[in-house]
Amino acid sequence: MDRFDGELGPASDEDLLRRFTKGEEAAFSELVRRHEDKIFALAYRITGDRAEALDATQETFISLFRRAGSFRGESAFATWLYRIGINAAYDALRRRRPTLEMHADRDEELRSSSASAMEEVAGIRSDIAGALAQLPLEYREAVVMHDLGDIPYEEIATLTKVSLGTVKSRISRGRRRLAELLEPSYRPETSKDQR
Amino acid sequence: MTETIDHDTCSQLLRPYLAGEAGDDAPAIAEHLDHCAQCRAELDGLRMLLTPVEGLSSGERELLHAGIDRATRSTSGSTLRAVPVPSTTPAAGRPPQRPPSLARQRSRTRTSRRLAPALSAAAAIVLIASGIALFQHQGTGSGSSAKQVTAARGAAQRAQSSSKAPAANGFDRNGPTSLPLPRFAPAAVPSPAVAETQAASMLPAFADAYSGTQAHRLAANFLQRLSNAAPEALSAQVATCGHSVLNLRTAATLPAYGALARVGGQRALVLVFATSSPPAARLTRLDLVAWPVGSCDHQLLHRSAAIGR
């Protein structure tokens, strides 16, 4: 038995968060260890740059440390944390291009960065991050939240103030568009985007 | 055959389908995909998006933990320490300091990938806290805080010592001896069969020591250890070929053993992984993969076998 399976392992994320807010710092350490790889992968897919993804991962957990008390349990802890991670990754992109417009409302940040601005972001990025940046904003937002951030359809609908059907449609079309962007030889007739 | 699911349902099930977790829905999804170009395109896009990301290297993980630690450090010590020490004040209320950007440390990160053993003593302690502390409590239950602190300090001292004097024979002797660590054979072996025999003697201990969940967590760390333990000329290839295997797997895959061997008269790098077969969480199988020295482009050999007892 080790420290993960023994003292802290069986505890749920939400329980660990509660213990951390009561002063048990080891619970915070365990949350970092549980989620750091997922947050890093999520951030890397958005930024396409390992150093920036590392930066975003660091910022995510610092935010967790600061904002642990603000978690209200309205969604799963992981959903809440991944939203912070997505915001941190887009913050990293904005730092790359400081003239991007900044918005105060963090929940609106995903919606605020225009596709054209994202396309102009300088620097090295992976093909996938580049293709993501070329997606229409509403598609990108839905795909990132659901497919990278594990955020449920219903919660995305609430966050983006659109119907559940619209969320499903955006995710579906966004994925098809990604296939076309990432594979130049992709046959359009197999992926008819109806938008 | 009659279609049993529609576009909408298929779209929602594509993620679990890709992960091999669609269960009883998998045949219906496959059938739908057979005749639905739109859903096939969607699956392709999702597959590309979810292409595995190369995991955090031990150096990157160390930088990450050190950065978080600097920003959240309390008067009672390191936040990411190895063992829980009761705090006297609520952690959430402490004003954190903003750490330096990790992006600005990019060159340091890259260096650290190759020179993990030479990292600073302070950072080494953080590394111990994040990784090697796992080995403190094997078979001992939760233990007392005093014992844990002593054990963690011992591990930190061993790590600092190891950064100055890596094991000459390539075997990692610096970690606690109660749990098995990956190792690279100090001398070339004559054949993959000999490599498999050597690896097979180690793997029951791996199966006993690590669950599938722990294997997921430790895979990148163990690959780094194996890369560090390999002869310098093979170190980069161990990391590259090892990642090429880890990136393709959804099952738990833990790098355990490496060797230089001859395959069909050709010098080859052999890596052996302890793996689990979903949905079993235990590491029940070994995978042996061989590549020609100098390339990870094609495999000379891939063999899978049950881990013997």
Side-chain angles (χ1 to χ4, degrees):
Chain A
M1 189 177 291
D2 59 46
R3 67 177 303 224
F4 297 107
D5 287 338
E7 201 157 352
L8 297 174
S12 69
D13 287 345
E14 288 76 11
D15 185 41
L16 287 172
L17 189 68
R18 267 192 300 277
R19 288 161 63 176
F20 169 55
T21 57
K22 291 177 182 172
E24 188 180 339
E25 292 186 357
F28 173 75
S29 304
E30 176 63 11
L31 287 170
V32 171
R33 272 183 277 283
R34 280 188 188 183
H35 294 283
E36 61 191 354
D37 291 303
K38 172 73 181 179
I39 295 288
F40 175 77
L42 163 69
Y44 179 72
R45 277 287 165 256
I46 293 172
T47 63
D49 181 275
R50 292 185 72 84
E52 287 179 344
L54 203 58
D55 230 350
T57 307
Q58 175 178 296
E59 290 299 326
T60 300
F61 288 108
I62 294 169
S63 289
L64 168 62
F65 189 91
R66 290 172 174 165
R67 298 163 60 185
S70 69
F71 177 69
R72 297 282 172 250
E74 292 160 354
S75 60
F77 168 80
T79 299
W80 181 71
L81 183 66
Y82 296 164
R83 280 178 55 202
I84 295 175
I86 291 169
N87 284 332
Y90 279 107
D91 282 346
L93 280 184
R94 288 191 190 89
R95 282 197 293 275
R96 198 190 284 175
R97 189 172 185 274
T99 54
L100 278 176
E101 188 179 358
M102 301 298 288
H103 292 258
D105 184 344
R106 295 187 68 85
D107 282 345
E108 292 295 318
E109 285 180 3
L110 276 176
R111 315 181 68 185
S112 66
S113 48
S114 73
S116 60
M118 298 297 287
E119 285 168 11
E120 292 169 15
V121 168
I124 300 168
R125 61 162 44 138
S126 74
D127 290 345
I128 294 172
L132 264 180
Q134 291 180 59
L135 285 186
L137 174 61
E138 63 272 20
Y139 292 5
R140 183 175 71 241
E141 173 185 65
V143 165
V144 164
M145 282 202 256
H146 184 264
D147 289 339
L148 296 181
D150 291 339
I151 298 177
Y153 287 98
E154 293 78 6
E155 191 164 338
I156 297 172
T158 304
L159 288 170
T160 56
K161 301 179 178 65
V162 298
S163 72
L164 190 58
T166 301
V167 171
K168 291 175 180 175
S169 169
R170 286 176 176 177
I171 290 170
S172 177
R173 290 176 177 179
R175 290 168 174 173
R176 277 180 271 147
R177 183 77 185 118
L178 269 180
E180 294 170 352
L181 288 166
L182 287 164
E183 180 51 72
S185 62
Y186 205 84
R187 291 180 303 158
E189 64 268 24
T190 64
S191 172
K192 292 191 174 73
D193 193 329
Q194 303 298 322
R195 66 183 288 268
Chain B
M1 196 177 289
T2 307
E3 179 181 350
T4 54
I5 58 171
D6 57 17
H7 280 318
D8 203 35
T9 308
C10 184
S11 176
Q12 291 181 62
L13 291 173
L14 286 179
R15 285 183 76 210
Y17 180 73
L18 262 185
E21 296 167 353
D24 294 343
D25 292 321
I29 298 168
E31 184 189 346
H32 181 89
L33 289 168
D34 272 348
H35 62 79
C36 179
Q38 182 173 302
C39 286
R40 281 202 304 276
E42 190 176 334
L43 179 69
D44 288 343
L46 183 61
R47 184 185 286 122
M48 294 173 195
L49 180 66
L50 298 181
T51 303
V53 170
E54 182 185 333
L56 286 164
S57 69
S58 58
E60 288 170 330
R61 201 177 300 275
E62 176 189 6
L63 274 179
L64 173 66
H65 290 178
I68 297 171
D69 202 44
R70 275 196 301 276
T72 59
R73 187 174 296 133
S74 70
T75 53
S76 60
S78 162
T79 297
L80 286 176
R81 58 175 165 265
V83 293
V85 175
S87 171
T88 53
T89 55
R94 295 184 190 108
Q97 302 163 350
R98 185 179 175 84
S101 163
L102 293 174
R104 288 192 289 274
Q105 302 178 45
R106 185 178 313 191
S107 59
R108 192 182 144 199
T109 305
R110 286 174 180 160
T111 301
S112 67
R113 286 180 197 162
R114 291 185 293 107
L115 302 174
L119 292 165
S120 72
I125 292 170
V126 175
L127 177 62
I128 293 307
S130 64
I132 300 177
L134 173 66
F135 304 110
Q136 299 304 314
H137 312 309
Q138 173 71 10
T140 63
S142 55
S144 70
S145 290
K147 273 167 78 175
Q148 291 166 348
V149 170
T150 304
R153 282 179 184 153
Q157 286 162 0
R158 281 193 295 275
Q160 290 176 55
S161 167
S162 74
S163 71
K164 292 169 188 165
N169 65 0
F171 282 74
D172 188 341
R173 289 178 173 166
N174 299 305
T177 55
S178 59
L179 281 182
L181 294 171
R183 65 180 218 176
F184 201 96
V189 297
S191 70
V194 174
E196 182 175 328
T197 302
Q198 290 189 357
S201 68
M202 301 167 50
L203 290 186
F206 273 66
D208 289 340
Y210 306 118
S211 69
T213 307
Q214 290 167 339
H216 273 303
R217 240 185 236 126
L218 290 168
N221 180 291
F222 273 36
L223 183 59
Q224 184 69 50
R225 285 168 171 269
L226 203 52
S227 172
N228 290 343
E232 190 174 350
L234 287 174
S235 179
Q237 188 182 358
V238 169
T240 304
C241 295
H243 274 301
S244 74
V245 171
L246 296 182
N247 288 344
L248 289 174
R249 302 292 178 89
T250 52
T253 305
L254 193 58
Y257 173 88
L260 181 63
R262 296 200 80 82
V263 177
Q266 192 172 0
R267 291 171 74 239
L269 169 67
V270 174
L271 296 181
V272 178
F273 303 82
T275 68
S276 70
S277 305
R282 251 180 91 74
L283 300 173
T284 54
R285 299 192 67 78
L286 72 79
D287 270 3
L288 181 150
V289 188
W291 298 263
V293 167
S295 169
C296 299
D297 291 342
H298 70 280
Q299 297 176 359
L300 296 171
L301 182 67
H302 185 181
R303 202 184 116 66
S304 182
I307 292 177
R309 305 300 306 169

